[in-house]
């Protein structure tokens, strides 16, 4: 890829921050792609892959990437897709090797090759700093300085083809009051004698601009004098002038003004040998016309212009004099032999214009027509055939004087070929820039405050919906697309970058043609062109999706995902913000939602979540605008109330408590405990205020705990009976049977009552089982049976939350255990099973059999008793079965 002319394409690949790799596709005999060979990689790709260029170039992908992690190879899937389907594929890829995200574009530039670009989109990487090296689309005139003015070749050429004795170049000083001889050709062989006569060297000598000389410059070019006297005008003593004339035999003097747009830059003075006349003055004038064309643009200072006006002159080495009407060539210099390969004799004996490339005949005829109309022609290029049948590009500068064309020209073949290569590279550069996610651009700000966009890629048009032509006509269109809220900040950031020459970075919104708002990330590096003139090279990208993610992340980082109110992180930051005397007295209210575990056990976590959501909604809707609320724990909320006394905080707690109680979830009112504390000044730490509010909340919670939980059990049982009406009668019958069996066993009345109560509550856990399962008329599936078998554990979890029901919870937990150890949930056997549980098991099973269930037909009493008898020693305690038949069954048959 090394290019001796350092084309824009090479610079792009070498310096672009995006990784670039080009593959050569390897096909099998059936023209199917089988592998890929690394054809080109850039340094950014080496950095991404953390491997040197030599590891890749010329190697197949199958071998070069086999040692890399999978994440470094998976993007090859997209390469294969482009090879098979064509087009361009853009996708995001995560590199584990770099721990970075890349936006990748895969596309094919030419048959049999495929390219991949890696664009780092990791949020913490400002990919934009390297974009200044990606594209430099402006080509500016750069002067080579005043040393070229000292180039003797220029003056020697003029002296040779005019036959002059000496040629001098004089430049006017900035003040216009004097001029300086900056170069001199000739009289070198008599230099010592001239120094003896003058007493100084002419080069570098500053001469006064006399009125007589100013008057001379009012005449048209060329000014011809019989001698040097009119030009000396008292600048030298008459004695010195006589000695110079005697020593050097000076004759005719010809002076050419170097002037453009009314500005005099200097003169070219041609001094002839006595008795000789200057030749080819038309060519001299043509040379000077070209010199003036090298002057820099009008916005440069005059002094700078003087230094650069001869830039490029030395390459004008072809001469031609032609009769305009007949097109007969009257003179060619010997440089034509070197350029075209023909001798001058051959060129004189053939029709010179017949050497022009046939494709250039039309533009050449048009050039002659323009020359006839305007009298001069500059920078016209056509091609001439060489002796070996190749063509050289010749650039012409012509002037029509009378019936003769005086022309100077130069061989620009290398330049034209370079321009063609650069044009091809520019086409590739444009395509590459169009493939880069986002857009590359240049923005120029001039000293007068005007601005423009010298370049921007297609992505710029795609994002903003403004064409290149529209922006060229009115660059302010871009700024009018900015969101009004973001415009001031963007303009301020541009001004800061302009004044300080610092990198410009900004995120802002733009309004699209269809009314949407998108987020743009822009970054560019400024380049100072001149005082007050700055050019930015930059990049912009659509980061709307990223901003959406950022807002979501920011929302989630400060909000509770379940309830939507603020979370603990926000609360901790808010405490620091509100801990300021302007908010004193600052009250904190700690709120704990009671019975959340009981609700989760009884009704499931979805109902528990709904309880929290309803509580949060009440807090969100009922708090004052100055209050802040956050969920800081599973069932705990905190309210921050600035400028609120303790009494006001307690009143707020009372109101919230009433609103909670009025709101029910699955028949359960929302119960909460409140604790308040206040900070009056800076003498107490706010964390201590929070701890005090939390302590008061816990005191409130403990004082009401027992009655609240007992009440909750009653509500749950009522909910169960409303949900499954048959459960109330079933529970009562089981309690009666279990009580009879317990009395027959000789239990005390207190023990009998405990067993009856446990029997009443034994199926409380079914409140959390779906009615679709409990009321299913068909055979239950395995998963449905598994759900049914959960109810003893759910019952235990509910009852164990109330201290007075802890003993009953153990009985209820085991009422589906079997004597043979095949029951559930623990698989207990024989005497491991509590006696009360064994009693309830017989009563429950018997009642279920004789009353039936949606999925099981009811049995007769005799059929049910037969099952009980058969299961003695298997499902049931055999001794209890004996007592049941002896003491209880007779009462049933009555």
């Amino acid at each position: 890829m090394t290019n001796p002319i350092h084309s824009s394409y090479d610079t792009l690949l070498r310096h672009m921050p995006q990784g670039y790799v080009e593959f050569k596709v390897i096909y099998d005999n059936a023209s199917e792609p089988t592998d890929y060979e690394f054809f080109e990689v850039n340094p950014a790709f080496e950095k991404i892959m953390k491997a040197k260029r030599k590891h890749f170039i010329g190697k197949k992908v199958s071998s070069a990437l086999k040692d890399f992690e999978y994440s470094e190879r998976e993007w090859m899937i997209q390469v294969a897709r482009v090879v098979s389907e064509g087009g361009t594929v853009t996708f995001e890829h995560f590199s584990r090797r770099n721990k970075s995200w890349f936006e990748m574009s895969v596309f094919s530039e030419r048959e049999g090759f495929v390219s991949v670009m890696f664009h780092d989109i990791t949020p913490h990487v400002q990919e934009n700093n390297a974009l200044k090296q990606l594209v430099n689309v402006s080509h500016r005139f750069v002067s080579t300085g005043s040393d070229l003015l000292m180039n003797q070749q220029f003056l020697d050429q003029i002296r040779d083809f005019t036959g002059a004795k000496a040629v001098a170049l004089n430049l006017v000083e900035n003040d216009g009051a004097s001029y300086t001889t900056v170069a001199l050709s000739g009289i070198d062989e008599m230099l010592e004698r001239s120094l003896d006569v003058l007493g100084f060297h002419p080069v570098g000598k500053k001469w006064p601009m006399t009125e007589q000389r100013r008057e001379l410059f009012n005449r048209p070019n060329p000014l011809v004098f019989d001698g040097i006297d009119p030009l000396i005008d008292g600048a030298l003593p008459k004695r010195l002038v006589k000695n110079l004339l005697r020593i050097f035999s000076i004759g005719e003097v010809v002076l050419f003004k170097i002037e453009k747009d009314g500005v005099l830059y200097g003169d070219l003075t041609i001094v002839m040998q006595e008795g000789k006349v200057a030749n080819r003055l038309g060519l001299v004038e043509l040379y000077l016309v070209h010199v003036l064309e090298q002057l820099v643009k009008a916005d440069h200072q005059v002094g700078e212009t003087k230094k650069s006006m001869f830039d490029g002159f030395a390459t004008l080495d072809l001469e031609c004099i032609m009769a305009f009407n007949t097109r007969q060539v009257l003179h060619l210099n010997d440089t034509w032999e070197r350029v075209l390969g023909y001798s001058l004799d051959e060129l004189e004996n053939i029709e010179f214009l017949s050497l022009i490339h046939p494709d250039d005949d039309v533009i050449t005829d048009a050039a002659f027509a323009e020359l006839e109309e305007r009298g001069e022609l500059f920078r016209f290029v056509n091609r001439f055939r060489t002796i070996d049948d190749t063509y050289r590009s010749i650039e012409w500068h012509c002037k029509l004087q009378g019936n003769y064309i005086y022309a100077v020209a130069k061989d620009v073949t290398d330049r034209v070929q370079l321009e063609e290569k650069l044009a091809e590279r520019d086409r590739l550069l444009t395509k590459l820039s169009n493939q880069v996610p986002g857009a590359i651009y240049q923005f120029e700000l001039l000293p007068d405050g005007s601005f423009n966009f010298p370049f921007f890629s297609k992505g710029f048009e795609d994002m903003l919906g403004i064409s290149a032509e529209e922006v060229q006509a009115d660059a302010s269109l871009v700024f009018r697309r900015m969101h009004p809220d973001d415009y001031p900040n963007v303009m301020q950031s541009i001004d800061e970058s302009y004044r300080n020459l610092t990198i410009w970075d900004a995120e802002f919104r733009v309004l699209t043609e269809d009314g949407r708002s998108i987020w743009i990330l822009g970054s560019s590096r400024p380049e100072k062109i001149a005082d007050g003139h700055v050019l930015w090279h930059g990049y912009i990208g659509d980061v709307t999706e990223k901003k959406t993610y950022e807002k979501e992340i920011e929302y989630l980082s400060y909000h509770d995902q379940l309830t939507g109110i603020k979370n603990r992180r926000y609360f901790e930051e808010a405490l620091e913000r509100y801990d300021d005397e302007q908010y004193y007295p600052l009250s904190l209210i700690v709120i704990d939602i009671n019975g959340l575990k009981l609700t989760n056990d009884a009704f499931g976590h979805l109902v528990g979540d709904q309880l929290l959501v309803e509580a949060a909604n009440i807090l969100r809707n009922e708090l004052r605008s100055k209050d802040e609320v956050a969920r800081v724990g599973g069932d705990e909320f905190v309210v921050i109330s600035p400028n609120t006394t303790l009494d006001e905080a307690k009143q707020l707690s009372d109101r919230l408590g009433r609103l909670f109680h009025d709101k029910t979830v699955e028949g359960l009112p929302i119960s909460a405990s409140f604790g308040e504390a206040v900070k009056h000044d800076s003498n107490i730490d706010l964390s201590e205020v929070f701890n005090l509010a939390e302590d008061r909340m816990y005191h409130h919670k403990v004082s009401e705990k027992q009655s609240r939980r007992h009440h909750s059990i009653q509500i749950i049982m009522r909910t169960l009976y409303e949900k499954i009406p048959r459960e109330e009668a079933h529970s009562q019958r089981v309690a009666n049977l279990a009580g009879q069996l317990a009395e027959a066993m000789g239990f005390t009345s207190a023990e009998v009552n405990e067993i009856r109560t446990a029997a009443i509550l034994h199926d409380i856990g079914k409140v959390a089982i779906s009615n679709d399962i409990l009321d299913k008329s068909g055979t239950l599936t395995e998963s449905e049976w598994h759900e049914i078998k959960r109810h003893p554990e759910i019952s235990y979890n509910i009852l164990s939350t109330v201290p007075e029901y802890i003993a009953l919870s153990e009985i209820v937990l085991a009422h589906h255990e079997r004597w043979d150890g095949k029951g559930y949930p623990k698989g207990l056997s024989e005497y491991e099973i509590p006696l009360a549980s064994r009693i309830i098991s017989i009563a429950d099973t018997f009642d279920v059999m004789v009353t039936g269930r949606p999925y099981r037909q009811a049995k007769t009493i005799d059929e049910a008793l037969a099952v009980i008898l058969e299961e003695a020693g298997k499902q049931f305690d055999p001794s209890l079965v004996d007592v049941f038949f002896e003491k209880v069954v007779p009462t049933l048959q009555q």
Side-chain angles (χ1 to χ4, degrees), residues 275-467:
K276 288 188 175 183
V277 177
N279 299 318
R280 302 175 181 170
L281 293 183
L283 282 179
V284 175
E285 186 171 2
L286 290 175
Y287 272 111
L288 293 181
V289 167
H290 174 71
V291 167
L292 291 172
E293 282 298 308
Q294 305 304 312
L295 295 176
V296 295
K297 296 179 181 179
D299 59 349
H300 287 86
Q301 295 180 3
V302 173
E304 294 173 344
T305 302
K306 291 177 183 176
K307 294 181 180 179
S308 60
M309 65 182 180
F310 290 101
D311 186 22
F313 181 82
T315 60
L316 290 171
D317 50 10
L318 297 170
E319 301 174 8
C320 178
I321 301 176
M322 177 183 294
F324 180 77
N325 293 331
T326 63
R327 304 291 196 267
Q328 179 183 0
V329 173
L330 304 178
H331 166 74
L332 296 173
N333 67 341
D334 55 9
T335 311
W336 285 100
E337 295 183 342
R338 174 177 58 80
V339 174
L340 299 183
Y342 300 102
S343 67
L344 287 179
D345 289 340
E346 291 174 308
L347 290 173
E348 289 175 356
N349 293 322
I350 61 175
E351 186 180 350
F352 185 67
L353 297 184
S354 68
L355 299 177
I356 295 174
H357 194 292
D359 293 345
D360 293 346
D361 286 342
V362 174
I363 62 171
T364 302
D365 289 340
F368 277 114
E370 181 180 349
L371 180 61
E372 182 177 21
E373 178 182 352
R374 300 178 55 185
E376 53 189 8
L377 181 68
F378 303 116
R379 296 179 181 174
F380 166 71
V381 178
N382 58 4
R383 290 166 291 176
F384 278 75
R385 188 178 72 249
T386 67
I387 196 171
D388 57 3
D389 285 331
T390 61
Y391 283 88
R392 306 295 294 180
S393 295
I394 306 299
E395 182 180 76
W396 295 91
H397 300 252
C398 310
K399 190 174 182 66
L400 182 61
Q401 293 190 339
N403 191 39
Y404 295 96
I405 301 172
Y406 294 87
V408 291
K410 58 182 176 181
D411 182 358
V412 294
T413 305
D414 291 341
R415 190 194 77 190
V416 170
Q417 291 174 348
L418 174 60
E419 288 173 350
E420 291 174 352
K421 288 182 179 180
L422 290 176
E424 177 61 29
R425 297 298 190 186
D426 284 344
R427 285 191 289 272
L428 176 59
L429 181 65
T430 299
K431 185 163 186 177
L432 285 174
S433 65
N434 290 340
Q435 293 292 339
V436 173
I440 300 164
Y441 71 93
Q442 286 184 314
F443 175 67
E444 184 176 30
L445 187 57
L446 301 170
D448 62 1
S450 61
F451 55 85
N452 62 82
F453 290 87
F455 171 82
F456 56 80
S457 62
K458 186 176 181 296
F460 200 97
E461 300 181 35
D462 294 340
M463 270 186 283
L464 300 184
I466 308 174
S467 68

Side-chain angles (χ1 to χ4, degrees), residues 624-635:
R624 300 164 299 182
S625 59
K626 66 179 180 179
D627 297 328
E628 298 260 19
V629 62
R631 184 185 177 199
V632 296
D635 52 7

